[in-house]
Structure formats: structure tokens, C-alpha cells
Amino acid sequence: IMVSGDDMLATAGDGSPSSVGDMMAAEMLLPLVVVSVVVVWCFELYLGCRQWSRLQDPKMPDKLADLATQDEYEKARVYSIDTLSFTMMNEASGTLASVFFLLMGGLPWLWGV
């Protein structure tokens, strides 16, 4: 067993954590990161769906009557729907790729390169 520098981290000769508690903490880190990524994506998906439902109503809010015409509002609404749908698909594919990368051992593979 070796003790490294100022941080006093006890490690085995190969640099791996030596105590059972350290190994359990390291094993819990991957599921915690994956769950965190998925929870953040679910929250962003909820917000996107909420916005999507608001954009489905073609009636212009009364507060915007002085700021834009119905035609301008409709163009902005259609553009917002398209942008939101692209963003939601982009976030879903990015989250799926991140989770796949993490679960397939992408970080340890990169560290070994």
C-alpha cells in the first residue's frame, strides 16, 4: 500500500483505491452520472413539451396585439415549433449517445488511449 503526497490517498501499488469504501464510491459514480444525465434530459423534455403545447394554439395573445400582426405572430409560431422540434430531437440523440458512451466504458477507454 502506498500513500500519495499531500492528499494522503491510500492506494494499492497499481494506483487503484485500496479500501472497500473507495471502491464502492467509484462503482456508484457511473450510475449516478448516468441517472443525472437522464434526469436533466427529462426535465428539458418536460419544458419542451410544455412549450410545444402552448405553441399549438394559433390564437395570438391579447398582450401581443400592439406588438405584432396576426401574420407575423403565425410566422414566429411556426418557426418556434420547427426550432423546438429540432432541439428536442437533438437533445434526445445527444443524451442517448452520452449514455451509450458512458455505459460502454468510453471514459476508461479514452483514459487508456
Side-chain angles (χ1 to χ4, degrees):
I1 294 183
M2 299 169 54
V3 177
S4 63
D6 297 328
D7 58 359
M8 300 299 288
L9 175 65
T11 60
D14 61 356
S16 62
S18 63
S19 72
V20 174
D22 290 341
M23 287 187 286
M24 287 178 60
E27 289 176 2
M28 291 299 297
L29 190 59
L30 178 63
L32 182 64
V33 169
V34 170
V35 167
S36 298
V37 167
V38 171
V39 165
V40 167
W41 174 73
C42 287
F43 181 68
E44 290 174 355
L45 180 65
Y46 163 73
L47 292 177
C49 289
R50 203 173 116 185
Q51 184 66 22
W52 178 278
S53 68
R54 295 293 304 231
L55 289 170
Q56 296 306 310
D57 184 13
K59 182 181 176 296
M60 185 167 71
D62 294 334
K63 292 181 179 181
L64 295 179
D66 295 337
L67 301 174
T69 65
Q70 180 65 33
D71 186 48
E72 291 172 334
Y73 175 76
E74 183 62 24
K75 288 179 184 178
R77 186 182 74 82
V78 169
Y79 177 77
S80 295
I81 290 172
D82 290 343
T83 303
L84 184 60
S85 62
F86 175 78
T87 300
M88 289 170 61
M89 292 301 294
N90 189 31
E91 288 176 355
S93 63
T95 301
L96 184 63
S98 296
V99 168
F100 182 76
F101 179 78
L102 289 170
L103 292 178
M104 293 291 131
L107 287 178
W109 177 78
L110 280 177
W111 293 331
V113 171

XYZ file of all heavy atoms in Angstrom:
863
model
N 0.863 -1.178 0.000
C 0.000 0.000 0.000
C 0.902 1.230 0.000
O 1.861 1.300 0.738
C -0.936 0.023 1.218
C -1.905 -1.132 1.098
C -1.631 1.344 1.343
C -2.927 -1.191 2.193
N 0.521 2.195 -0.842
C 1.292 3.430 -0.961
C 0.418 4.602 -0.526
O -0.790 4.590 -0.725
C 1.714 3.637 -2.410
C 2.588 2.531 -2.949
S 2.825 2.623 -4.726
C 3.408 4.261 -4.969
N 1.029 5.607 0.067
C 0.321 6.826 0.424
C 0.880 7.922 -0.464
O 2.082 8.141 -0.500
C 0.497 7.179 1.910
C -0.178 8.481 2.234
C -0.027 6.054 2.783
N -0.029 8.610 -1.206
C 0.440 9.597 -2.175
C 0.362 11.000 -1.625
O -0.680 11.411 -1.129
C -0.374 9.491 -3.464
O -1.719 9.782 -3.215
N 1.453 11.712 -1.671
C 1.591 13.138 -1.449
C 0.743 13.742 -0.345
O 0.513 13.150 0.694
N 0.321 14.989 -0.608
C -0.381 15.787 0.401
C -1.811 15.336 0.631
O -2.377 15.591 1.679
C -0.383 17.261 -0.021
C 1.030 17.822 -0.093
O 1.886 17.383 0.693
O 1.243 18.694 -0.946
N -2.423 14.701 -0.383
C -3.830 14.345 -0.226
C -4.029 13.093 0.612
O -5.133 12.770 1.001
C -4.509 14.199 -1.583
C -3.845 13.157 -2.470
O -2.836 12.561 -2.042
O -4.334 12.952 -3.596
N -2.955 12.359 0.905
C -2.979 11.190 1.776
C -4.003 10.147 1.324
O -4.730 9.583 2.113
C -3.264 11.601 3.223
C -2.244 12.565 3.809
S -0.597 11.877 3.856
C -0.774 10.702 5.155
N -4.057 9.893 0.016
C -4.955 8.884 -0.527
C -4.224 7.551 -0.528
O -3.196 7.410 -1.186
C -5.388 9.253 -1.944
C -6.229 8.237 -2.693
C -7.575 8.069 -1.988
C -6.434 8.651 -4.120
N -4.733 6.592 0.206
C -4.115 5.276 0.234
C -4.536 4.510 -1.014
O -5.717 4.410 -1.316
C -4.539 4.522 1.490
N -3.551 4.008 -1.757
C -3.837 3.251 -2.961
C -3.018 1.987 -2.961
O -1.999 1.873 -2.287
C -3.490 4.062 -4.229
O -2.104 4.386 -4.207
C -4.305 5.336 -4.303
N -3.466 1.031 -3.736
C -2.688 -0.172 -3.949
C -1.525 0.190 -4.861
O -1.464 1.289 -5.414
C -3.559 -1.256 -4.570
N -0.589 -0.703 -5.070
C 0.586 -0.438 -5.892
C 0.258 -0.039 -7.314
O 1.011 0.675 -7.965
N -0.896 -0.481 -7.838
C -1.259 -0.161 -9.223
C -2.041 1.147 -9.343
O -2.492 1.512 -10.423
C -2.054 -1.301 -9.849
C -3.366 -1.574 -9.121
O -3.618 -0.918 -8.089
O -4.125 -2.438 -9.590
N -2.234 1.876 -8.256
C -2.933 3.152 -8.304
C -4.432 3.056 -8.063
O -5.127 4.044 -8.041
N -4.960 1.837 -7.895
C -6.390 1.677 -7.665
C -6.704 1.930 -6.187
O -5.840 1.777 -5.340
C -6.841 0.274 -8.068
O -6.172 -0.683 -7.272
N -7.930 2.319 -5.869
C -8.291 2.555 -4.460
C -8.121 1.284 -3.655
O -8.410 0.184 -4.120
C -9.758 2.960 -4.532
C -9.980 3.397 -5.937
C -9.019 2.611 -6.774
N -7.632 1.419 -2.429
C -7.337 0.227 -1.637
C -8.446 -0.164 -0.683
O -8.552 -1.315 -0.304
C -6.046 0.435 -0.856
O -6.205 1.500 0.059
N -9.282 0.757 -0.279
C -10.306 0.403 0.690
C -11.601 0.014 -0.023
O -11.864 0.428 -1.148
C -10.566 1.565 1.651
O -11.249 2.597 0.992
N -12.396 -0.772 0.666
C -13.678 -1.201 0.119
C -14.595 0.000 -0.091
O -15.310 0.089 -1.088
C -14.335 -2.241 1.054
C -15.731 -2.594 0.581
C -13.472 -3.487 1.153
N -14.560 0.964 0.822
C -15.376 2.168 0.694
C -15.028 2.969 -0.551
O -15.905 3.496 -1.230
N -13.727 3.071 -0.867
C -13.304 3.793 -2.071
C -13.796 3.087 -3.322
O -14.222 3.729 -4.277
C -11.782 3.916 -2.132
C -11.233 4.871 -1.090
O -12.020 5.687 -0.572
O -10.027 4.788 -0.799
N -13.738 1.758 -3.319
C -14.186 1.011 -4.495
C -15.700 1.124 -4.663
O -16.194 1.250 -5.768
C -13.758 -0.453 -4.393
C -12.271 -0.644 -4.613
S -11.767 -2.357 -4.697
C -11.889 -2.844 -3.001
N -16.449 1.104 -3.555
C -17.895 1.235 -3.642
C -18.269 2.627 -4.153
O -19.189 2.775 -4.951
C -18.547 0.960 -2.291
C -18.530 -0.499 -1.916
S -19.230 -0.832 -0.305
C -20.876 -0.226 -0.487
N -17.542 3.644 -3.698
C -17.810 5.008 -4.153
C -17.536 5.123 -5.643
O -18.291 5.766 -6.375
C -16.970 5.998 -3.367
N -16.464 4.502 -6.121
C -16.132 4.550 -7.542
C -17.170 3.802 -8.370
O -17.533 4.240 -9.464
C -14.745 3.963 -7.773
N -17.670 2.682 -7.868
C -18.673 1.905 -8.595
C -20.020 2.618 -8.642
O -20.796 2.428 -9.569
C -18.835 0.524 -7.967
C -17.647 -0.381 -8.202
C -17.789 -1.702 -7.483
O -18.827 -1.928 -6.825
O -16.853 -2.504 -7.573
N -20.319 3.460 -7.665
C -21.579 4.191 -7.635
C -21.533 5.447 -8.501
O -22.565 6.024 -8.804
C -21.925 4.588 -6.202
C -22.294 3.422 -5.313
S -23.740 2.527 -5.909
C -24.983 3.777 -5.801
N -20.348 5.861 -8.911
C -20.215 7.096 -9.661
C -20.838 6.989 -11.053
O -21.551 7.897 -11.484
C -18.738 7.489 -9.765
C -18.469 8.871 -10.307
C -19.137 9.918 -9.440
C -16.975 9.117 -10.365
N -20.608 5.898 -11.765
C -21.152 5.737 -13.118
C -22.684 5.761 -13.123
O -23.271 6.534 -13.882
C -20.625 4.473 -13.787
C -21.181 4.197 -15.181
C -20.778 5.297 -16.146
C -20.717 2.852 -15.667
N -23.354 4.960 -12.298
C -24.822 5.052 -12.291
C -25.329 6.433 -11.888
O -26.323 6.915 -12.439
C -25.261 3.996 -11.267
C -24.121 3.070 -11.146
C -22.898 3.864 -11.441
N -24.634 7.094 -10.974
C -25.039 8.432 -10.559
C -24.927 9.421 -11.719
O -25.831 10.240 -11.936
C -24.180 8.897 -9.379
C -24.519 10.264 -8.794
C -25.924 10.245 -8.205
C -23.509 10.640 -7.738
N -23.857 9.339 -12.491
C -23.677 10.229 -13.640
C -24.740 9.938 -14.700
O -25.350 10.858 -15.255
C -22.254 10.096 -14.223
C -22.140 10.803 -15.558
C -21.230 10.643 -13.244
N -24.992 8.668 -14.984
C -25.992 8.302 -15.996
C -27.378 8.777 -15.570
O -28.119 9.364 -16.368
C -25.974 6.777 -16.264
C -27.151 6.361 -17.106
C -24.669 6.375 -16.934
N -27.730 8.556 -14.319
C -29.041 8.997 -13.821
C -29.144 10.519 -13.884
O -30.185 11.057 -14.278
C -29.295 8.465 -12.391
C -30.466 9.159 -11.737
C -29.517 6.964 -12.428
N -28.077 11.215 -13.538
C -28.091 12.681 -13.606
C -28.315 13.169 -15.034
O -29.110 14.094 -15.259
C -26.776 13.250 -13.077
O -26.594 12.911 -11.739
N -27.642 12.567 -15.999
C -27.803 12.956 -17.406
C -29.246 12.732 -17.852
O -29.856 13.589 -18.503
C -26.811 12.174 -18.293
C -27.151 12.315 -19.765
C -25.384 12.634 -18.038
N -29.816 11.599 -17.479
C -31.183 11.268 -17.890
C -32.198 12.184 -17.193
O -33.164 12.634 -17.824
C -31.488 9.778 -17.624
C -32.954 9.462 -17.833
C -30.616 8.900 -18.517
N -31.981 12.495 -15.922
C -32.908 13.375 -15.195
C -32.899 14.777 -15.801
O -33.965 15.384 -15.998
C -32.573 13.411 -13.686
C -33.261 14.558 -12.975
C -32.934 12.089 -13.035
N -31.729 15.297 -16.126
C -31.651 16.620 -16.749
C -32.370 16.609 -18.091
O -33.125 17.529 -18.422
C -30.182 17.071 -16.902
C -30.064 18.284 -17.812
C -29.581 17.369 -15.540
N -32.158 15.546 -18.875
C -32.835 15.452 -20.181
C -34.355 15.373 -20.002
O -35.097 16.009 -20.752
C -32.327 14.249 -20.965
C -33.099 14.053 -22.218
C -33.053 14.812 -23.356
C -34.083 13.045 -22.473
N -33.930 14.334 -24.292
C -34.574 13.250 -23.773
C -34.581 11.993 -21.714
C -35.551 12.433 -24.326
C -35.537 11.185 -22.269
C -36.024 11.410 -23.563
N -34.810 14.605 -19.019
C -36.254 14.506 -18.778
C -36.846 15.856 -18.394
O -37.940 16.213 -18.845
C -36.546 13.478 -17.685
S -36.327 11.777 -18.213
N -36.135 16.626 -17.592
C -36.619 17.948 -17.218
C -36.684 18.868 -18.443
O -37.663 19.586 -18.641
C -35.735 18.563 -16.133
C -36.185 19.920 -15.688
C -37.373 20.071 -14.994
C -35.429 21.040 -15.978
C -37.805 21.326 -14.584
C -35.845 22.295 -15.578
C -37.033 22.434 -14.871
N -35.643 18.834 -19.282
C -35.651 19.642 -20.501
C -36.753 19.184 -21.455
O -37.377 20.011 -22.130
C -34.291 19.578 -21.188
C -33.214 20.307 -20.414
C -31.839 20.134 -21.014
O -31.675 19.365 -21.986
O -30.906 20.789 -20.512
N -37.008 17.886 -21.508
C -38.091 17.362 -22.338
C -39.447 17.848 -21.821
O -40.311 18.248 -22.606
C -38.054 15.835 -22.366
C -39.122 15.159 -23.204
C -38.928 15.499 -24.683
C -39.073 13.652 -22.999
N -39.623 17.844 -20.518
C -40.864 18.348 -19.922
C -41.089 19.810 -20.296
O -42.186 20.199 -20.696
C -40.812 18.178 -18.392
C -41.829 19.024 -17.667
C -43.175 18.688 -17.695
C -41.437 20.166 -16.981
C -44.113 19.482 -17.039
C -42.362 20.957 -16.329
C -43.698 20.613 -16.360
O -44.617 21.390 -15.727
N -40.043 20.616 -20.164
C -40.172 22.033 -20.519
C -40.473 22.204 -22.008
O -41.293 23.048 -22.391
C -38.895 22.786 -20.156
C -38.599 22.923 -18.669
C -37.260 23.622 -18.477
C -39.706 23.651 -17.952
N -39.827 21.402 -22.849
C -40.092 21.471 -24.283
C -41.521 21.078 -24.630
O -42.164 21.729 -25.459
N -42.014 20.032 -24.004
C -43.400 19.601 -24.259
C -44.400 20.645 -23.780
O -45.436 20.865 -24.414
C -43.665 18.264 -23.580
S -42.813 16.884 -24.353
N -44.084 21.267 -22.670
C -44.952 22.328 -22.161
C -45.001 23.505 -23.136
O -46.070 24.035 -23.449
C -44.407 22.777 -20.811
C -45.403 23.431 -19.945
C -44.808 23.680 -18.597
N -44.768 25.128 -18.430
C -44.232 25.742 -17.407
N -43.632 25.042 -16.478
N -44.268 27.033 -17.312
N -43.839 23.871 -23.668
C -43.782 24.954 -24.640
C -44.482 24.547 -25.936
O -45.166 25.350 -26.560
C -42.321 25.340 -24.911
C -42.158 26.508 -25.831
C -42.677 27.810 -25.230
O -42.793 27.943 -24.024
N -43.000 28.752 -26.078
N -44.300 23.300 -26.331
C -44.933 22.778 -27.553
C -46.457 22.920 -27.464
O -47.102 23.346 -28.421
C -44.544 21.317 -27.738
C -45.153 20.657 -28.921
C -46.389 20.117 -29.014
C -44.555 20.482 -30.200
N -46.600 19.609 -30.258
C -45.477 19.816 -31.013
C -43.320 20.811 -30.729
C -45.214 19.484 -32.322
C -43.064 20.466 -32.036
C -44.005 19.819 -32.823
N -47.005 22.556 -26.318
C -48.464 22.641 -26.175
C -48.942 24.092 -26.228
O -50.021 24.368 -26.751
C -48.917 21.969 -24.878
O -48.473 22.693 -23.764
N -48.144 25.007 -25.704
C -48.518 26.428 -25.771
C -48.464 26.942 -27.212
O -49.240 27.806 -27.599
C -47.583 27.278 -24.905
C -47.651 27.002 -23.424
C -48.975 27.393 -22.846
N -49.283 28.783 -23.101
C -49.650 29.652 -22.222
N -49.752 29.285 -20.966
N -49.929 30.895 -22.560
N -47.534 26.431 -28.000
C -47.381 26.891 -29.382
C -48.442 26.322 -30.321
O -48.587 26.801 -31.444
C -45.988 26.533 -29.905
C -44.829 27.325 -29.306
C -43.506 26.708 -29.718
C -44.909 28.785 -29.709
N -49.179 25.325 -29.907
C -50.194 24.725 -30.763
C -51.434 25.608 -30.908
O -52.204 25.453 -31.850
C -50.595 23.340 -30.237
C -49.464 22.336 -30.263
C -48.819 22.203 -31.626
O -49.491 22.032 -32.632
N -47.503 22.295 -31.660
N -51.612 26.544 -30.015
C -52.756 27.452 -30.076
C -52.450 28.577 -31.068
O -51.557 29.391 -30.834
C -53.023 28.035 -28.687
C -54.259 28.926 -28.659
O -55.042 28.893 -29.634
O -54.430 29.642 -27.653
N -53.184 28.640 -32.193
C -52.877 29.659 -33.209
C -53.370 31.061 -32.855
O -53.027 32.032 -33.537
C -53.601 29.139 -34.454
C -54.710 28.303 -33.936
C -54.225 27.717 -32.640
N -54.154 31.177 -31.780
C -54.687 32.490 -31.402
C -53.583 33.322 -30.739
O -52.916 32.885 -29.812
C -55.852 32.318 -30.430
C -56.506 33.617 -30.030
C -57.627 33.338 -29.041
C -58.248 34.618 -28.545
N -57.333 35.457 -27.771
N -53.410 34.539 -31.238
C -52.403 35.437 -30.692
C -52.867 35.978 -29.339
O -54.015 36.406 -29.197
C -52.164 36.596 -31.657
C -51.047 37.512 -31.217
S -50.490 38.657 -32.490
C -51.863 39.768 -32.597
N -51.978 35.950 -28.318
C -52.354 36.510 -27.012
C -52.674 38.000 -27.122
O -52.081 38.728 -27.924
C -51.107 36.292 -26.153
C -50.352 35.202 -26.841
C -50.658 35.329 -28.295
N -53.594 38.450 -26.317
C -54.029 39.856 -26.343
C -52.875 40.817 -26.042
O -52.836 41.925 -26.575
C -55.162 40.088 -25.340
C -56.426 39.320 -25.734
O -56.596 39.048 -26.938
O -57.220 39.003 -24.827
N -51.931 40.396 -25.230
C -50.811 41.259 -24.854
C -49.895 41.560 -26.044
O -49.140 42.526 -26.005
C -49.998 40.616 -23.737
C -50.744 40.541 -22.425
C -49.900 39.932 -21.347
C -50.665 39.880 -20.042
N -49.868 39.321 -18.948
N -49.939 40.737 -27.075
C -49.088 40.944 -28.244
C -49.769 41.737 -29.357
O -49.144 42.032 -30.371
C -48.628 39.599 -28.808
C -47.724 38.760 -27.925
C -47.371 37.453 -28.610
C -46.468 39.524 -27.565
N -51.007 42.097 -29.174
C -51.770 42.765 -30.236
C -51.121 44.076 -30.671
O -51.153 44.425 -31.855
C -53.199 43.010 -29.772
N -50.509 44.793 -29.751
C -49.872 46.064 -30.090
C -48.471 45.880 -30.675
O -47.919 46.812 -31.263
C -49.766 46.953 -28.843
C -51.130 47.352 -28.310
O -52.102 47.327 -29.102
O -51.226 47.663 -27.111
N -47.897 44.702 -30.524
C -46.517 44.490 -30.932
C -46.359 43.824 -32.299
O -45.331 44.004 -32.947
C -45.793 43.638 -29.877
C -45.754 44.228 -28.471
C -45.152 43.236 -27.505
C -44.976 45.530 -28.471
N -47.325 43.015 -32.708
C -47.186 42.271 -33.963
C -48.553 42.035 -34.591
O -49.580 42.046 -33.912
C -46.500 40.934 -33.698
N -48.539 41.783 -35.894
C -49.777 41.432 -36.593
C -50.018 39.933 -36.440
O -49.118 39.185 -36.031
C -49.680 41.788 -38.083
O -48.675 40.977 -38.688
C -49.365 43.266 -38.279
N -51.198 39.486 -36.797
C -51.514 38.054 -36.725
C -50.600 37.258 -37.660
O -50.156 36.170 -37.315
C -52.992 37.823 -37.086
C -53.429 36.372 -37.035
C -53.378 35.765 -35.634
O -53.614 36.447 -34.646
N -53.056 34.485 -35.560
N -50.292 37.812 -38.830
C -49.416 37.127 -39.791
C -47.996 36.983 -39.229
O -47.382 35.912 -39.336
C -49.398 37.892 -41.111
C -48.632 37.143 -42.189
O -48.886 35.924 -42.347
O -47.771 37.768 -42.853
N -47.472 38.031 -38.621
C -46.131 37.967 -38.012
C -46.112 36.960 -36.867
O -45.156 36.191 -36.713
C -45.714 39.348 -37.501
C -45.446 40.356 -38.587
C -45.236 41.751 -38.046
O -45.747 42.074 -36.941
O -44.563 42.532 -38.738
N -47.166 36.977 -36.076
C -47.254 36.030 -34.968
C -47.289 34.596 -35.479
O -46.616 33.719 -34.931
C -48.492 36.324 -34.116
C -48.697 35.293 -33.030
C -47.916 35.296 -31.890
C -49.667 34.308 -33.166
C -48.086 34.349 -30.907
C -49.854 33.349 -32.184
C -49.057 33.377 -31.060
O -49.222 32.425 -30.092
N -48.041 34.349 -36.536
C -48.153 32.996 -37.092
C -46.809 32.512 -37.623
O -46.427 31.356 -37.413
C -49.214 32.967 -38.189
C -49.458 31.600 -38.785
C -49.977 30.583 -37.781
O -50.581 30.982 -36.760
O -49.766 29.377 -38.015
N -46.085 33.384 -38.313
C -44.756 33.005 -38.822
C -43.801 32.677 -37.666
O -43.063 31.694 -37.722
C -44.174 34.127 -39.680
C -44.846 34.276 -41.017
C -44.228 35.430 -41.793
C -44.952 35.665 -43.099
N -44.396 36.820 -43.832
N -43.837 33.494 -36.642
C -42.976 33.256 -35.477
C -43.368 31.970 -34.755
O -42.507 31.211 -34.287
C -43.052 34.444 -34.522
N -44.664 31.701 -34.685
C -45.149 30.488 -34.022
C -44.702 29.238 -34.768
O -44.193 28.290 -34.168
C -46.678 30.534 -33.927
C -47.304 29.405 -33.128
C -48.820 29.508 -33.145
N -49.372 29.124 -34.425
C -49.594 27.850 -34.790
N -49.301 26.869 -33.972
N -50.108 27.578 -35.964
N -44.846 29.242 -36.098
C -44.440 28.090 -36.908
C -42.926 27.881 -36.811
O -42.443 26.748 -36.678
C -44.896 28.272 -38.373
C -44.275 27.240 -39.280
C -46.405 28.225 -38.461
N -42.173 28.974 -36.842
C -40.719 28.882 -36.715
C -40.343 28.309 -35.341
O -39.452 27.463 -35.231
C -40.074 30.254 -36.907
C -38.590 30.245 -36.717
C -37.742 29.756 -37.710
C -38.019 30.718 -35.544
C -36.371 29.734 -37.528
C -36.656 30.692 -35.353
C -35.828 30.208 -36.354
O -34.475 30.183 -36.164
N -41.007 28.757 -34.299
C -40.731 28.262 -32.948
C -41.037 26.777 -32.823
O -40.293 26.045 -32.161
C -41.535 29.052 -31.920
O -41.122 30.379 -31.882
N -42.118 26.327 -33.452
C -42.456 24.903 -33.423
C -41.361 24.090 -34.112
O -40.916 23.061 -33.597
C -43.833 24.649 -34.070
C -44.939 25.200 -33.179
C -44.056 23.162 -34.335
C -46.318 25.177 -33.816
N -40.911 24.551 -35.281
C -39.852 23.844 -36.000
C -38.551 23.818 -35.197
O -37.884 22.787 -35.102
C -39.605 24.486 -37.355
C -40.741 24.261 -38.331
O -41.564 23.354 -38.081
O -40.817 25.005 -39.331
N -38.190 24.953 -34.623
C -36.966 25.030 -33.830
C -37.053 24.129 -32.604
O -36.092 23.426 -32.277
C -36.717 26.488 -33.381
O -36.662 27.313 -34.533
C -35.431 26.616 -32.611
N -38.186 24.141 -31.951
C -38.362 23.330 -30.757
C -38.310 21.836 -31.080
O -37.687 21.057 -30.358
C -39.679 23.683 -30.066
C -39.971 23.002 -28.747
C -38.894 23.324 -27.720
C -41.329 23.430 -28.230
N -38.932 21.441 -32.181
C -38.900 20.018 -32.536
C -37.479 19.578 -32.876
O -37.047 18.486 -32.485
C -39.853 19.724 -33.690
O -39.472 20.436 -34.844
N -36.716 20.418 -33.580
C -35.323 20.073 -33.874
C -34.505 19.991 -32.584
O -33.713 19.059 -32.405
C -34.702 21.102 -34.823
C -33.252 20.860 -35.069
C -32.847 19.860 -35.942
C -32.282 21.604 -34.409
C -31.507 19.619 -36.165
C -30.942 21.364 -34.617
C -30.552 20.368 -35.503
N -34.697 20.946 -31.694
C -33.952 20.961 -30.437
C -34.250 19.720 -29.601
O -33.337 19.104 -29.042
C -34.294 22.231 -29.638
O -33.941 23.370 -30.411
C -33.570 22.270 -28.308
N -35.514 19.338 -29.534
C -35.883 18.159 -28.745
C -35.273 16.888 -29.332
O -34.787 16.025 -28.586
C -37.399 18.061 -28.627
C -37.982 19.143 -27.730
S -39.781 19.293 -27.759
C -40.304 17.704 -27.200
N -35.279 16.763 -30.646
C -34.672 15.584 -31.277
C -33.152 15.594 -31.091
O -32.539 14.548 -30.849
C -35.016 15.532 -32.762
C -36.475 15.266 -33.030
S -37.045 13.712 -32.311
C -36.130 12.541 -33.258
N -32.543 16.755 -31.177
C -31.101 16.875 -30.998
C -30.699 16.507 -29.568
O -29.724 15.793 -29.350
C -30.660 18.302 -31.335
C -29.167 18.447 -31.382
O -28.456 17.515 -31.717
N -28.689 19.628 -31.064
N -31.452 16.985 -28.588
C -31.171 16.663 -27.195
C -31.381 15.180 -26.910
O -30.604 14.570 -26.167
C -32.043 17.497 -26.265
C -31.639 18.953 -26.201
C -32.573 19.784 -25.347
O -33.606 19.255 -24.871
O -32.276 20.970 -25.163
N -32.400 14.581 -27.503
C -32.649 13.148 -27.298
C -31.501 12.318 -27.867
O -31.013 11.390 -27.210
C -33.973 12.746 -27.942
N -31.068 12.644 -29.074
C -29.980 11.867 -29.673
C -28.665 12.097 -28.927
O -27.885 11.160 -28.732
C -29.829 12.211 -31.158
O -29.469 13.557 -31.329
N -28.419 13.322 -28.469
C -27.208 13.597 -27.696
C -27.195 12.868 -26.364
O -26.162 12.343 -25.940
N -28.343 12.842 -25.701
C -28.440 12.131 -24.422
C -28.264 10.635 -24.623
O -27.550 9.980 -23.855
C -29.792 12.425 -23.750
O -29.900 13.829 -23.544
C -29.924 11.697 -22.431
N -28.874 10.097 -25.656
C -28.719 8.672 -25.952
C -27.261 8.329 -26.244
O -26.736 7.333 -25.731
C -29.607 8.288 -27.136
C -29.628 6.824 -27.515
C -30.197 5.987 -26.373
C -30.441 6.619 -28.771
N -26.595 9.161 -27.025
C -25.186 8.920 -27.335
C -24.321 9.022 -26.084
O -23.401 8.206 -25.892
C -24.717 9.909 -28.400
N -24.592 9.986 -25.226
C -23.816 10.144 -23.993
C -23.989 8.944 -23.067
O -23.010 8.435 -22.514
C -24.233 11.416 -23.261
O -23.933 12.549 -24.010
N -25.220 8.515 -22.886
C -25.476 7.364 -22.014
C -24.828 6.108 -22.592
O -24.199 5.330 -21.863
C -27.002 7.175 -21.801
C -27.307 5.847 -21.150
C -27.544 8.321 -20.960
N -24.940 5.910 -23.893
C -24.308 4.755 -24.541
C -22.792 4.800 -24.346
O -22.173 3.797 -24.000
C -24.667 4.737 -26.033
C -24.102 3.572 -26.781
C -24.659 2.317 -26.659
C -22.997 3.737 -27.611
C -24.139 1.233 -27.345
C -22.466 2.663 -28.299
C -23.035 1.405 -28.162
N -22.196 5.968 -24.551
C -20.754 6.135 -24.389
C -20.326 5.804 -22.966
O -19.337 5.097 -22.747
C -20.367 7.569 -24.754
C -18.918 7.879 -24.611
C -18.009 7.461 -25.563
C -18.458 8.603 -23.525
C -16.664 7.755 -25.434
C -17.117 8.901 -23.380
C -16.212 8.473 -24.347
N -21.076 6.302 -21.983
C -20.733 6.043 -20.586
C -20.887 4.567 -20.225
O -20.027 3.987 -19.566
C -21.602 6.898 -19.666
C -21.309 8.394 -19.666
C -22.401 9.137 -18.914
C -19.950 8.673 -19.060
N -22.006 3.962 -20.643
C -22.267 2.564 -20.271
C -21.348 1.581 -20.987
O -21.091 0.489 -20.478
C -23.729 2.212 -20.545
C -24.744 2.916 -19.647
C -26.158 2.520 -20.044
C -24.484 2.618 -18.189
N -20.849 1.944 -22.148
C -19.946 1.060 -22.889
C -18.492 1.235 -22.464
O -17.603 0.627 -23.047
C -20.080 1.315 -24.397
C -21.415 0.904 -24.945
S -21.498 -0.751 -24.905
C -22.588 -1.641 -24.371
N -18.250 2.052 -21.464
C -16.889 2.223 -20.956
C -16.063 3.182 -21.785
O -14.853 3.003 -21.917
N -16.683 4.199 -22.327
C -15.978 5.149 -23.176
C -14.932 5.962 -22.441
O -13.855 6.225 -22.981
N -15.216 6.383 -21.210
C -14.248 7.187 -20.472
C -12.995 6.388 -20.106
O -11.886 6.867 -20.341
C -14.892 7.801 -19.244
C -15.853 8.956 -19.502
C -16.471 9.452 -18.211
C -15.154 10.089 -20.218
N -13.124 5.192 -19.553
C -11.908 4.424 -19.288
C -11.114 4.123 -20.562
O -9.883 4.117 -20.551
C -12.414 3.119 -18.640
C -13.705 3.507 -18.019
C -14.293 4.529 -18.944
N -11.820 3.910 -21.657
C -11.125 3.669 -22.923
C -10.336 4.912 -23.342
O -9.187 4.799 -23.768
C -12.136 3.298 -24.010
C -11.501 3.120 -25.339
C -10.802 2.039 -25.778
C -11.492 4.070 -26.410
N -10.367 2.244 -27.050
C -10.769 3.502 -27.484
C -12.024 5.336 -26.576
C -10.574 4.157 -28.679
C -11.829 5.991 -27.770
C -11.112 5.404 -28.806
N -10.954 6.088 -23.206
C -10.242 7.323 -23.546
C -9.053 7.562 -22.626
O -8.009 8.053 -23.066
C -11.186 8.528 -23.472
C -12.105 8.748 -24.659
C -13.014 9.935 -24.400
C -11.316 8.976 -25.929
N -9.210 7.261 -21.352
C -8.101 7.451 -20.412
C -6.932 6.529 -20.766
O -5.797 6.865 -20.500
C -8.547 7.186 -18.991
C -9.527 8.196 -18.474
C -9.623 9.508 -18.840
C -10.555 7.981 -17.530
N -10.648 10.128 -18.179
C -11.244 9.211 -17.353
C -10.986 6.878 -16.794
C -12.308 9.354 -16.479
C -12.057 7.034 -15.941
C -12.697 8.256 -15.786
N -7.236 5.369 -21.349
C -6.183 4.424 -21.711
C -5.505 4.742 -23.020
O -4.458 4.205 -23.345
N -6.083 5.642 -23.808
C -5.508 5.978 -25.121
C -4.276 6.821 -24.966
O -4.070 7.608 -24.170
C -6.556 6.721 -26.006
C -5.922 7.268 -27.253
C -7.672 5.780 -26.326
